[in-house]
Amino acid sequence: MDDMTKLADASVDEVKAALAGLSLTQLAALRVAELAGKNRSTALAAIDQAIADHAGDAPGAEVDAAAGGAVAASASAPDGGMTAATFDHSGPANITAATGFEPSGAPIQMTDIDASHPAVDANPRANTTVDQNRIDFNDPGLSGEDAVKRNLGIAG
């Protein structure tokens, strides 16, 4: 159980007392934990007020009354809630531009990803057949269905 979940299980008075010492990110996590847990309107109102008090700390953030006082940014979630972008102040990703393109249309980029990591599939086409790999979905003039038909030699 993480700290925000433990705090959400505390009394409303204990939650209110802890709010002043929490960052905007922690307040957002506490709000999620409260919603998933006891879902107390008084605790949520206090958390939302603390988020509103911090709203100026997040560039482009504003209090969204329709979302229960949650902080919303220009890149808000479809439900009007908070997104990671609301709290991310790290700046642009500065990803290196592609140096070319693979025949599949995939960009060739230099990355610092460790392809040997178990969570990375360094060879996604391993153990596939030639037929499985020959269908080209990159033709903007064809629908997916037409591309499959063309590549499988089906008239129509």
Side-chain angles (χ1 to χ4, degrees):
M1 186 181 290
D2 66 29
D3 291 340
M4 294 304 110
T5 303
K6 287 178 188 174
L7 183 55
D9 284 338
S11 71
V12 172
D13 288 336
E14 291 171 316
V15 170
K16 287 179 179 180
L19 295 177
L22 299 178
S23 69
L24 192 54
T25 303
Q26 290 171 317
L27 289 167
L30 177 59
R31 187 173 199 283
V32 170
E34 180 63 36
L35 284 169
K38 295 182 179 180
N39 197 16
R40 300 167 291 189
S41 61
T42 51
L44 286 168
I47 294 166
D48 289 343
Q49 183 58 53
I51 289 172
D53 293 344
H54 276 284
D57 297 341
E62 58 188 43
V63 177
D64 183 355
V71 173
S74 56
S76 63
D79 65 358
M82 294 171 281
T83 65
T86 304
F87 306 108
D88 184 353
H89 305 288
S90 61
N94 293 327
I95 298 171
T96 306
T99 58
F101 294 90
E102 296 285 347
S104 68
I108 300 170
Q109 291 178 289
M110 299 304 295
T111 64
D112 59 352
I113 296 171
D114 178 7
S116 66
H117 190 280
V120 176
D121 186 355
N123 189 2
R125 295 182 185 242
N127 302 315
T128 60
T129 66
V130 171
D131 283 341
Q132 288 172 322
N133 287 287
R134 76 177 183 168
I135 298 175
D136 180 9
F137 290 100
N138 294 316
D139 184 342
L142 293 176
S143 69
E145 181 180 352
D146 290 340
V148 171
K149 286 179 180 178
R150 183 190 68 194
N151 284 288
L152 293 177
I154 299 172

